[in-house]
């Protein structure tokens, strides 16, 4: 009996949050909601190791810690916007939902920092462990590259039919230049 109840609740949550609430959304709203949810989950996974990176860099030196913290803080603004915009497109009557999802994804960062303070502080530089910062950051990079290649680029390309390819190409080139320049 409890399994049926839990199964029904999971189905309700899936229908309400993942698929956008059922059939009351049009095709574009469903697509926007799917994009918002994929970005939410991937940025949630992406932000946790950023908290690890802040702590690891701060443990290395105070100056490096401040540099990494400011850099991550600045790039969190477009991350929140990336979640909020498709959420608003899917559910224009729920602006607080957009705000909540963007904020919740950002709260993974302090959770990652807390985790790092508890566990990574004990890891020595010479430890060969899966929790080495290089491994954690490589995992995060893989998640974000996968999301970009399989979700964001196809969605952006779909919009080129109505807005032209020049914006898509310009945005891609500018993004690459910014990433290389801030490396």
């Amino acid at each position: 009996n409890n399994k049926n109840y839990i199964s029904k609740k999971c189905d309700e949550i899936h229908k309400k949050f993942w698929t956008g609430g059922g059939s009351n959304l049009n095709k574009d709203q469903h697509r926007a909601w799917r994009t918002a949810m994929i970005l939410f989950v991937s940025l949630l996974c992406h932000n946790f190791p950023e908290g690890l990176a802040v702590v690891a860099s701060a443990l290395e030196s105070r100056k490096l810690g401040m540099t990494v913290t400011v850099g991550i803080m600045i790039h969190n603004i477009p991350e929140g916007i990336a979640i909020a915009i498709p959420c608003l497109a899917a559910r224009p009557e729920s602006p607080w939902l957009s705000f909540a999802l963007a904020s919740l994804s950002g709260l993974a960062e302090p959770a990652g920092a807390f985790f790092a303070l508890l566990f990574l502080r004990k890891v020595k530089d010479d430890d060969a462990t899966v929790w080495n910062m290089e491994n954690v950051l490589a995992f995060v990079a893989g998640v974000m590259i996968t999301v970009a290649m399989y979700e964001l680029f196809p969605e952006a390309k779909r919009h080129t039919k109505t807005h032209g390819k020049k914006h898509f190409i310009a945005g891609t080139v500018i993004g690459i230049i910014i990433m290389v320049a801030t490396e």
Side-chain angles (χ1 to χ4, degrees), residues 177-183:
I177 290 169
I178 290 171
M179 291 302 295
V180 170
T182 60
E183 179 66 26

Side-chain angles (χ1 to χ4, degrees), residues 31-102:
R31 185 175 282 128
W33 183 252
R34 181 176 181 273
T35 300
M37 288 295 94
I38 288 170
L39 284 170
F40 171 72
V41 170
S42 62
L43 288 172
L44 193 70
C45 295
H46 168 82
N47 283 337
F48 185 83
E50 283 183 350
L52 300 174
V54 167
V55 169
S57 61
L59 291 174
E60 185 69 29
S61 80
R62 190 171 256 170
K63 183 179 179 184
L64 179 61
M66 284 303 295
T67 302
V68 170
T69 300
V70 170
I72 288 176
M73 179 185 71
I74 290 169
H75 96 267
N76 280 342
I77 295 167
E79 285 179 358
I81 293 169
I83 293 172
I85 296 298
C87 187
L88 273 174
R91 300 216 172 159
E93 74 286 350
S94 303
W96 283 104
L97 180 62
S98 297
F99 176 78
L101 288 176

Side-chain angles (χ1 to χ4, degrees), residues 1 9 33 46 63 66 68 70 73 79 89 97 104 109 117 119 133 161 167 173-174 181:
N1 195 18
K9 284 297 177 188
W33 183 252
H46 168 82
K63 183 179 179 184
M66 284 303 295
V68 170
V70 170
M73 179 185 71
E79 285 179 358
L97 180 62
L104 188 60
E109 231 166 86
L117 287 173
F119 298 107
M133 190 54 60
K161 293 174 184 160
H167 293 97
V173 170
I174 290 169

Side-chain angles (χ1 to χ4, degrees), residues 68-169:
V68 170
T69 300
V70 170
I72 288 176
M73 179 185 71
I74 290 169
H75 96 267
N76 280 342
I77 295 167
E79 285 179 358
I81 293 169
I83 293 172
I85 296 298
C87 187
L88 273 174
R91 300 216 172 159
E93 74 286 350
S94 303
W96 283 104
L97 180 62
S98 297
F99 176 78
L101 288 176
S103 299
L104 188 60
S105 76
L107 289 177
E109 231 166 86
F114 181 72
F115 179 85
L117 287 173
L118 286 179
F119 298 107
L120 293 183
R121 202 171 200 172
K122 297 174 186 168
V123 175
K124 293 181 177 42
D125 289 336
D126 59 342
D127 281 350
T129 174
V130 75
W131 294 110
N132 284 340
M133 190 54 60
E134 294 86 6
N135 293 337
V136 172
L137 294 177
F139 170 75
V140 174
V143 168
M144 295 314 295
I145 289 169
T146 301
V147 169
M149 296 307 292
Y150 289 102
E151 293 298 328
L152 299 180
F153 275 112
E155 185 68 16
K157 193 171 181 194
R158 186 180 70 81
H159 286 284
T160 62
K161 293 174 184 160
T162 56
H163 300 295
K165 288 185 180 182
K166 65 181 177 182
H167 293 97
F168 174 74
I169 293 168

